[in-house]
């Protein structure tokens, strides 16, 4: 479909100049009367209390880390502790106007945010709600520990619950908010709107965008804040996140009722350092971080610099920006000026800054300053503040003693496989919401469905001969059918990436979906592979089904962190609190040279927490995608471009019209044989079958050809059973041989099937070169001759065979020695 926006040269070639509006800096003017009226006395005093909680909590951690004991409680904490001493006002002020529907995603330095957000919720939610949240979290196991001896009723108990949940998590205990699977840098407590914190600098930016997209697309209340540091302003994914958050289409193309741009706030806690790198004057060139907003959109992201040393200035800014976001006019950027006196971590001697500089900030310490504000304006007396401080210390001592005790707070029992049990949720969800899915066309009116109805479901004619490709349901048609099916069932399902919409999806896989779906369910993004995947992570962990796409496998590098650290880890790091119903479609190219033709499935196979699938037939493409799109685990779904147009030649009757799933992890025997087992991953299946034909006709060798289909999980029993029969095994895929997943497979088959093997397992992959141009590709990707020659040289000498390629041991030695 052509675009509705016309790119007019008359408009775009006009001379003129671009005007920027001034960006407000630290404009907050304190006003005791207004502040008391807005927040009420109790909340104003509680803000001070919460700042003290955070300060003392982190002082305790620092003391434990550096001296091995605090207040007579001895503990050796081996893990990290990135402290935010000095920054308390910025986080407490932030949480003041937020409810539990407002989400915070944070960083490695987020203890303060978690505590501030959770204490605010514990103080403001109805007591019955607080009780039921504590009671239901992990079956009440945390509550059972803190409720005994707790003071101050439900709210007092909730304070202890929060401190204990965070501390037990930092100490890696089963009673931690994430069962100790997250630790200091990843702790969070979703029921109060404290969402995952990220040890990857800037990692929360694109995840927050996805969470905000979830809220917008599914009309959920609240805003989403990405709490990131000034240092993260140099990170590509942060910029990508801002680009995706600021796309015009939310207002120009999306239906009005969706409500405009996703409500996301990029909140930079600007403490002027990224470890020892000084962002002001050294590592960045913006001078004032808020300037970034001016480069993003005409609203300049409503950017402002805020005095983060005054909690009320922060609260005021967050409240005003929240209103903008709820109106769909985001994104917003805040440059919250703050400072940490603590080192980057307890081992940091702060050699990169002067004592005088630290002293300048300590002189205006936020707790001291805000305490003076409270007392001088008669909101609280010094004695009241002292009493509060006493209560803080008493609670902290009690909770710390509980958290260090291995009897009260044991670690998760690792044996037999407790962490393994957390790697996948292995769930199955038809739909993530009960509302009717928003569709523009019923399936029977969809042009592609109508066109497909005229095609043969099988790739073979009645005579058993292949039909012309244009007349059969192809692999990409099969993917389309699975997508349309789930779109019409799960209202939360959304797919996005480059060229997903009007173009018809990369390689026309999605042709027909543009007509079927409103914008918010299928949209083009900026060319931001990191943010495409990162936003999908945020969308999925917020409760919706996301299908991001990478146009070429070679772009996986651009989304490296998102795939290798985010998609795969959050289910386990949250101890199952989060689910990740995300299917990342990755198209593997050919004919497009060195940077568009690589199969990097081994990289994803290496990452714990990913399910990896690689169908090679239309039947499997539909049945496996159906499986993936109903599951609750992240799946990387590889598709080989070279077989997008193949028809189904293995399953009688071809691709079923209705719904079905392929059983997870089960390889498919494509041809039975007795003399050698050939296992393929992806498109080499068809070359292996040609090789099997030649082996049979010329050499009388009967090859059993198995299509692995799955990379992880993978049930090796089918392969081992075959090897028991044949005694020989060759593995083949289009991935470069060195480091290919085939080597893991070879090692497993060798170890588990050693008794059956009478030759080593042979691996045939692509050459360890760059992929040459299309005309030379046959010298790079495995061909049927390579398979036959490798069998001859390394597995089973074939009488009278003269190899046409060198697959022998000497050549393997030579290649490895040269590194090619
Ligand atoms: C992608 C990435 N690069 C580097 C690091 C190592 N690292 C941890 S924190 C940090 C500094 C981050 O600075 P900033 O974003 O300003 O946050 P702050 O530490 O000041 O809170 C660095 C470089 C990391 N964790 N992730
Ligand atoms: Mg910083």
């Amino acid at each position: 479909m052509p675009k509705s926006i016309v790119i007019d040269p008359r408009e775009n070639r006009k001379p003129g100049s671009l005007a920027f509006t001034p960006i407000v800096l630290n404009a907050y003017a304190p006003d005791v009367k207004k502040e008391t009226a807005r927040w009420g006395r109790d909340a104003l005093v509680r803000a001070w209390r919460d700042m003290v909680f955070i300060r003392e909590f982190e002082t305790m951690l620092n003391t434990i880390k550096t001296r091995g004991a605090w207040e007579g409680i001895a503990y050796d904490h081996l893990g990290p502790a990135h402290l935010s001493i000095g920054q308390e006002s910025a986080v407490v002020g932030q949480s003041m106007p937020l409810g539990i529907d407002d989400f915070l995603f944070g960083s490695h330095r987020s203890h303060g945010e978690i505590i501030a957000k959770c204490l605010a919720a514990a103080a403001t939610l109805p007591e019955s709600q607080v009780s039921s949240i504590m009671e239901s979290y992990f079956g009440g196991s945390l509550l059972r520990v803190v409720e005994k001896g707790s003071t101050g009723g439900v709210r007092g108990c909730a304070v202890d619950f929060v401190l204990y949940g965070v501390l037990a998590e930092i100490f890696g205990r089963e009673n931690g908010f994430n069962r100790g699977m997250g630790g200091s840098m990843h702790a969070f407590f979703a029921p109060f709107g404290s969402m995952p914190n990220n040890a990857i600098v800037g990692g929360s930016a694109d995840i927050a965008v996805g969470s905000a997209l979830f809220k917008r697309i599914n009309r959920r209340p609240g805003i989403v804040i990405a709490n990131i540091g000034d240092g993260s302003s140099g990170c590509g994914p942060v910029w990508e996140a801002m680009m995706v958050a600021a796309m015009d289409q939310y207002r120009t193309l999306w239906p009005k009722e969706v409500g405009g741009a996703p409500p996301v706030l990029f909140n930079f806690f600007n403490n002027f350092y990224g470890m020892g790198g000084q962002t002001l004057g050294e590592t960045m060139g913006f001078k004032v971080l808020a300037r970034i907003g001016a480069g993003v959109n005409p609203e300049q992201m409503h950017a402002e610099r805020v005095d983060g040393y005054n909690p009320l200035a922060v609260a005021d800014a967050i409240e005003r920006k929240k209103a903008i976001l709820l109106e769909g006019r985001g994104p917003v950027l805040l440059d919250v000026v703050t400072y940490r006196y603590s080192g980057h971590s307890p081992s940091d001697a702060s050699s990169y800054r002067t004592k005088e500089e630290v002293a300048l900030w300590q002189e205006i310490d936020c707790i001291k300053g805000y305490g003076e504000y409270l007392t001088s304006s008669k909101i609280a007396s010094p004695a009241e503040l002292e009493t509060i401080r006493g209560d803080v210390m008493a609670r902290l001592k009690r909770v710390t003693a509980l958290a260090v005790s291995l009897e009260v707070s044991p670690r998760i029992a690792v044996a037999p496989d407790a962490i393994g049990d957390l790697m996948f949720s292995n769930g199955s969800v038809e739909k993530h919401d009960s509302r009717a899915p928003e569709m523009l066309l019923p399936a029977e009116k969809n042009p592609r469905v109508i066109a497909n109805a005229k095609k043969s479901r099988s790739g073979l004619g009645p005579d058993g001969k292949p039909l012309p490709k244009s007349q059969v349901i192809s692999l990409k048609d099969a993917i389309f059918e699975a997508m349309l099916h789930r779109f019409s069932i799960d209202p939360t399902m959304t797919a996005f990436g480059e060229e997903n919409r009007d173009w018809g999806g990369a390689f026309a896989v999605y042709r027909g979906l543009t007509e079927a779906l409103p914008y918010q369910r299928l949209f083009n993004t900026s060319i931001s592979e990191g943010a495409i995947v990162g936003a999908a992570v945020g969308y999925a962990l917020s409760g919706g089904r996301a299908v991001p796409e990478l146009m070429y496998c070679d772009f996986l590098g651009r989304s490296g962190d998102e795939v290798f650290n985010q998609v795969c880890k959050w289910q386990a790091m949250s101890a199952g609190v989060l689910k990740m119903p995300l299917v990342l479609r990755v198209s593997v190219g050919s004919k497009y040279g060195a940077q568009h033709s690589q199969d990097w499935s081994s990289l994803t196979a290496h990452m714990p927490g990913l399910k990896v699938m690689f169908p090679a037939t239309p039947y499997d493409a539909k049945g496996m995608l159906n499986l993936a799109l109903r599951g609750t685990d992240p799946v990387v779904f590889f598709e080989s471009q070279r077989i997008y147009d193949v028809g189904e030649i293995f399953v009688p009757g071809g691709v079923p019209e209705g719904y079905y799933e392929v059983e997870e992890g089960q390889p498919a025997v494509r041809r039975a044989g007795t003399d050698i087992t050939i296992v393929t991953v992806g498109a080499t299946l068809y070359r292996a079958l040609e090789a099997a034909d030649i082996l049979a006709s010329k050499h009388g060798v009967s090859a059993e050809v198995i299509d692995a289909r799955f990379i992880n999980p993978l049930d090796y029993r089918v392969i081992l059973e075959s090897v028991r029969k044949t005694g020989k095994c060759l593995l083949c895929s289009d991935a470069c041989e060195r480091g290919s997943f085939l080597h893991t497979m070879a090692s497993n088959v060798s170890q588990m099937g050693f008794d059956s093997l009478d030759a080593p397992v042979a691996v045939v992959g692509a050459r360890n070169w760059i992929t040459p141009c299309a005309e030379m590709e046959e010298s790079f990707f495995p061909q049927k001759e390579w398979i036959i020659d490798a069998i001859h040289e390394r597995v089973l000498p074939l009488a009278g065979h003269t190899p046409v390629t060198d697959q022998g041991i000497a050549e393997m030695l030579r290649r490895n020695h040269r590194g090619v």
Side-chain angles (χ1 to χ4, degrees):
M1 277 211 291
K3 303 285 186 192
S4 54
I5 299 165
V6 173
I7 311 295
D8 186 342
R10 288 165 299 189
E11 192 54 39
N12 290 289
R13 299 189 68 230
K14 257 189 212 158
S17 66
L18 207 53
F20 290 84
T21 34
I23 289 178
V24 172
L25 306 180
N26 305 315
Y28 184 76
D31 181 331
V32 177
K33 248 202 203 140
K34 268 198 201 151
E35 286 155 348
T36 317
R38 164 62 187 94
W39 303 108
R41 195 202 87 90
D42 288 355
L44 289 174
V45 176
R46 208 171 50 238
W48 187 84
R49 179 202 71 168
D50 292 354
M51 286 159 64
V52 175
F53 261 124
I54 298 169
R55 172 77 52 95
E56 297 302 339
F57 183 95
E58 295 214 306
T59 303
M60 169 269 294
L61 264 182
N62 193 40
T63 314
I64 282 185
K65 205 57 204 159
T66 50
R67 298 196 206 135
W70 172 79
E71 296 284 328
I73 304 169
Y75 187 59
D76 184 16
H77 173 54
L78 299 180
H82 299 90
L83 310 176
S84 59
I85 294 174
Q87 302 188 178
E88 298 85 353
S89 44
V91 296
V92 169
Q94 176 180 75
S95 277
M96 286 175 75
L98 301 179
I100 58 170
D101 292 328
D102 301 312
F103 293 171
L104 299 186
F105 288 84
S107 72
H108 56 287
R109 200 179 302 289
S110 283
H111 303 153
E113 288 135 68
I114 310 167
I115 294 172
K117 186 77 165 62
C118 293
L119 290 185
T124 54
L125 285 177
E127 282 194 2
S128 57
Q129 199 177 343
V130 174
S131 286
S132 86
I133 287 173
M134 294 193 293
E135 196 60 65
S136 58
Y137 202 71
F138 293 147
S141 60
L142 278 83
L143 180 59
R144 295 290 89 83
V145 172
V146 290
E147 66 188 353
K148 247 186 290 151
S150 157
T151 56
V154 171
R155 297 210 189 276
C157 180
V159 168
D160 296 352
F161 176 91
V162 168
L163 298 172
Y164 176 69
V166 182
L167 192 55
E169 185 58 36
I170 293 170
F171 291 163
R173 307 307 174 88
E174 190 172 9
N175 277 332
F177 276 156
N178 315 103
R179 294 218 181 283
M181 293 294 107
S184 162
M185 295 195 280
H186 312 115
F188 67 99
F189 187 65
F192 285 161
S194 163
M195 297 297 275
N197 294 297
N198 218 300
I200 301 298
V201 170
S204 277
D206 50 20
I207 293 177
V209 172
S211 182
L213 276 166
F214 175 78
K215 285 192 182 293
R216 191 59 10 132
I217 292 171
N218 299 287
R219 325 299 203 270
R220 299 290 166 89
I223 65 166
V224 181
I225 298 182
N227 280 325
I228 46 185
D230 49 312
S232 81
S233 58
C235 298
V238 172
W239 283 86
E240 288 191 8
M242 292 191 291
M243 296 304 124
V244 172
M247 293 192 298
D248 266 345
Q249 62 179 292
Y250 305 124
R251 276 164 279 183
T252 54
L253 300 170
W254 287 33
K256 287 273 170 294
E257 63 273 18
V258 179
V264 62
L265 193 160
F266 296 90
N267 190 80
F268 288 90
F269 284 129
N270 184 0
N271 59 16
F272 299 91
Y273 287 95
M275 294 187 70
Q278 213 169 31
T279 50
L280 173 63
E282 185 192 10
T283 62
M284 299 302 292
F286 44 51
K287 299 273 192 293
V288 175
L289 192 151
R291 189 192 308 276
I292 288 173
V296 173
N297 63 5
E299 292 82 15
Q300 303 185 174
M301 296 182 79
H302 312 275
E304 253 183 63
R305 166 167 278 189
V306 182
D307 175 14
Y309 258 40
N310 178 352
L312 301 182
V314 179
D316 164 72
I318 295 283
E319 188 167 52
R320 285 183 291 107
K321 302 303 180 184
K322 179 174 169 176
I324 290 173
L325 291 171
L326 292 178
E327 286 165 16
R329 297 193 291 122
V332 164
L333 182 151
L334 285 181
D335 167 4
V336 181
V337 170
T338 184
Y339 194 83
R340 57 166 166 79
Y341 323 138
S342 41
H344 165 70
S345 57
S347 60
D348 167 11
S350 283
S351 55
Y352 49 86
R353 54 182 181 176
T354 63
K355 287 199 171 55
E356 290 72 26
E357 179 183 290
V358 180
L360 283 175
W361 289 88
Q362 279 172 323
E363 262 170 44
I364 56 149
D365 178 60
C366 59
I367 295 180
K368 194 171 76 171
Y370 186 62
E372 281 163 10
Y373 160 86
L374 291 178
T375 50
S376 65
S377 55
K378 307 271 185 284
I379 295 171
S381 67
E384 185 182 358
L385 297 188
E386 267 325 292
T387 308
I388 291 173
R389 185 181 288 279
D391 180 63
V392 166
M393 295 307 290
R395 286 184 189 281
L396 212 47
K397 278 184 211 164
R398 194 175 82 89
V399 160
T400 306
L402 292 173
V404 299
S405 160
L406 272 168
E407 267 154 50
V408 180
S409 309
R411 296 211 160 76
I412 204 165
V414 174
D417 200 7
I419 299 177
D421 292 342
L422 294 170
M423 293 312 297
F424 295 113
S425 45
N426 287 317
S428 180
V429 174
E430 277 293 317
K431 48 184 171 178
H432 287 82
D433 198 87
S434 56
R435 71 181 195 275
E438 294 158 304
M439 307 288 291
L440 300 179
L441 265 186
E444 60 278 12
K445 291 205 174 143
N446 188 289
R448 187 164 186 183
V449 173
I450 293 168
N452 282 358
K454 299 189 187 109
K455 294 183 180 174
S456 162
R457 307 295 304 180
S458 171
L460 303 175
D463 56 359
K465 297 227 171 80
L467 291 167
K469 285 180 168 166
S470 60
Q471 293 174 17
V472 303
I473 294 292
S474 63
L475 193 144
K476 64 184 165 194
D477 291 328
I479 292 172
F480 164 80
E481 288 186 357
M483 290 291 290
L484 188 63
H485 173 85
R486 190 55 57 194
F487 266 127
S488 50
I489 288 184
D490 188 343
T492 69
M493 175 158 149
T494 185
F496 50 85
E498 293 149 27
E499 313 311 336
N500 271 212
R501 202 171 167 89
D502 320 87
W503 189 279
F507 317 103
V509 174
Y510 285 173
R511 189 167 290 157
L513 288 183
T514 303
E515 292 82 350
L517 298 160
Y519 263 94
Q520 71 274 19
R521 304 196 68 201
L522 178 75
F523 57 96
N524 290 335
T525 63
S526 49
I527 302 167
S528 311
E529 283 81 5
I532 289 168
V533 180
V537 169
Y539 193 91
L541 63 76
S542 299
R545 184 171 292 293
V547 188
E549 182 195 295
L550 294 179
M551 193 190 280
Y552 278 86
C553 185
D554 314 64
F555 310 156
L556 200 50
R558 277 281 177 99
S559 58
D561 177 57
E562 283 73 7
V563 177
F564 304 148
N565 276 312
Q566 312 295 346
V567 173
C568 54
K569 293 184 181 167
W570 276 113
Q571 289 201 104
M573 284 204 295
S574 72
V577 169
L578 302 174
K579 303 282 182 286
M580 194 63 69
L582 182 160
V583 178
L584 174 62
R585 291 188 43 248
V586 180
S587 181
V588 180
S590 66
K591 299 195 170 54
Y592 260 57
Q595 295 180 331
H596 277 60
S597 309
Q598 297 164 93
D599 169 345
W600 279 350
S601 51
S602 63
L603 298 180
T604 55
H606 186 60
M607 295 305 154
L610 287 179
K611 290 187 173 175
V612 185
M613 306 185 183
F614 203 155
T617 69
Y619 180 95
D620 282 357
K622 181 169 174 179
M624 290 165 71
L625 191 53
N626 279 341
L627 174 76
L629 288 175
R630 198 155 71 105
T632 52
D633 289 309
V635 175
V636 183
F637 199 82
F638 287 100
E639 301 159 16
S640 173
Q641 287 166 27
R642 55 170 85 227
I643 52 171
Y644 266 144
D645 58 359
V646 298
E648 178 56 47
I649 59 171
F650 301 101
V651 176
V655 182
E657 278 180 57
Y659 185 85
Y660 63 96
E661 290 173 6
V662 169
E663 193 183 342
E664 185 172 274
Q666 294 306 308
V669 178
R670 299 299 183 194
R671 180 179 299 183
T674 49
D675 300 331
I676 182 165
T677 304
I678 301 178
V679 185
T680 64
V681 179
T684 49
L685 166 66
Y686 298 91
R687 278 158 273 157
L689 287 167
E690 285 173 11
D693 285 343
I694 296 169
L695 286 170
S697 62
K698 281 205 180 156
H699 305 287
V701 170
S702 158
E704 180 143 298
V705 180
I706 297 178
D707 173 5
R709 309 196 279 195
F710 294 89
I711 289 177
N712 190 55
L714 177 59
D715 187 350
Y716 278 87
R717 286 174 299 183
V718 177
I719 299 169
L720 293 173
E721 199 179 303
S722 173
V723 169
R724 242 190 312 276
K725 185 169 58 175
T726 62
K728 300 166 202 69
C729 186
L730 177 141
L731 311 174
C732 187
S733 90
D734 280 331
C736 284
E737 173 272 333
R738 191 174 55 242
S740 156
F741 176 69
L742 296 183
H743 281 295
T744 299
M745 212 188 242
S747 158
N748 282 334
V749 172
S750 302
Q751 292 178 71
M752 296 189 281
F754 185 70
D755 289 344
S756 324
L757 285 164
D758 33 64
V761 179
V763 169
V764 176
R767 298 299 305 272
N768 299 310
W769 304 338
I770 56 163
T771 317
C773 64
E775 292 80 356
M776 295 159 71
E777 264 189 9
E778 291 194 354
S779 62
F780 174 79
F781 289 115
Q783 303 299 315
K784 57 182 183 301
E785 294 81 9
W786 303 20
I787 296 173
I788 295 168
D789 292 347
I791 290 173
H792 175 69
E793 297 278 8
R794 311 210 291 265
V795 184
L796 171 70
L798 303 168
H801 177 66
T802 311
V804 292
T805 61
D806 192 346
Q807 305 291 335
I809 302 294
E811 174 64 2
M812 285 173 72
L813 264 173
R814 188 191 72 83
R815 289 178 187 179
N816 278 292
H817 191 196
R818 291 189 66 220
V820 296

